[in-house]
Amino acid sequence: MKLAHAFPLASLAAAVAVASTAQAETITVATVNNNDMVIMQSLTEAFEEANPDIEVNWVVLEENVLRQRLTTDIATDGGQFDVLTIGTYEAPIWAERGWLVALDDLPEAYREDDLLKPVRDGLSHEGSLYALPFYAESSMLYYRTDLFEEAGIEMPDQPSWEQVREWAAELHDPSNQLAGICLRGKPGWGENMAFVSTLVNTFGGRWFDEEWNPELDSPAWQEAIGFYVDLLGNYGPPGASSNGFNENLALFSRGNCAMWVDATSAAGKLYNPAESQVADRLGFAPAPVAETPKGAHWLWSWALAIPASSEKQEAAQTFLTWATSQEYIELVGETQGWTSVPPGTRESTYANENYQQEAPFASFVLDAINSADPTDSTLEPSPYVGVQFVGIPEFQSIGTQVGQTIASALTGDTSVEQALQNAQRATARTMQRAGY
């Protein structure tokens, strides 16, 4: 039988493509402008080819801005986003408030048991996962091996902060655009306070005593912040109070820092000669300690979660499981290089021979993540969970405000003593209003 109005094959294919596009569901993913997320965004086409019924719309923001936008949207049930990039701090708190979708029905092929236990536990609430880890990190000391060798400095197995200050003074060379050390100075609970909290921990301090009384004007805080302001003020780069993770990463990778204490997740980029001018002279060591090793290095995961307000939860979960899967890690390794794969999430990554060969820091990072203990991060007992943050809803506001007062001490606008007195009063008021 002859069809009177048969379509040419090319026209039929075009019609199918149009129909497919028309039916595709668009999910909006909000994420941070860190290197690993930029890579994820660049691989969107691979996801959409495998899932032609889903299109991805990206909203990529600076860390502080992202946190503000996501917190406002989820607290007001705004529904702007279908996938959120959140962290170990938000996941259990937002889950308890009913703001996130429980991820209890992951496909068997996802291999949930392959996720590193400390990371998985940090993203769970009452036994259920509420976010899937995209990458995870602890912190460590990066240093220029060529500068250390020229100065005759030998890195010990466990450096102290006093040694770091001595080395920074010796290596600081502003006439050649070389800072003795780079550290976070940009205010924010997840920017300068992520680093500062670990510094306070190892100096023997804590955010709160066991009765939830703030201790920000304690001798340990005075000593730690005084040390920080002196170290970064004398031996840091110009404009240190504006530098967060990404700014310091750029400085170190260009050769402008002799040392840098920050996230282990930076190691892959720094060891990649296409991304870093110091890839062939890079050393690493544990995060420095002072009075105690407790809480000297942090535990954090950037993770993907689905807000309860999303109307596209099935498509969102398809994206989550793809972006945090073993297959995605292998895709990045094969297309971007193995030093660029998202670190810190899966046992299989650290068992992968390709990763072991290309990433000399692999076992070091794995040990740092596994040894960080959010339940025992301070010298004196504390009532909270968290190493570089306090796992209570009020901390986002408290940490941001304290971060601003610390930054004002760093710029010299106020003294360390006055900054900590201001921080103590503000934190006490917030805790009293919250009923602690």
Side-chain angles (χ1 to χ4, degrees), residues 28-30 59 61 69-70 73 78-84 307 309-310:
T28 300
V29 180
V59 177
L61 301 166
R69 284 276 301 275
L70 295 191
D73 185 70
Q80 293 183 53
F81 310 109
D82 303 296
V83 176
L84 311 176
S309 57
S310 171

Side-chain angles (χ1 to χ4, degrees), residues 4 28 37 43 52 109 163 178 269 271 273 301 322 350 357:
T28 300
M37 282 70 172
L43 295 172
Q163 289 174 314
L178 176 68
K269 189 175 179 71
Y271 268 100
S301 173
W322 171 80
Y350 293 89
Q357 289 174 6

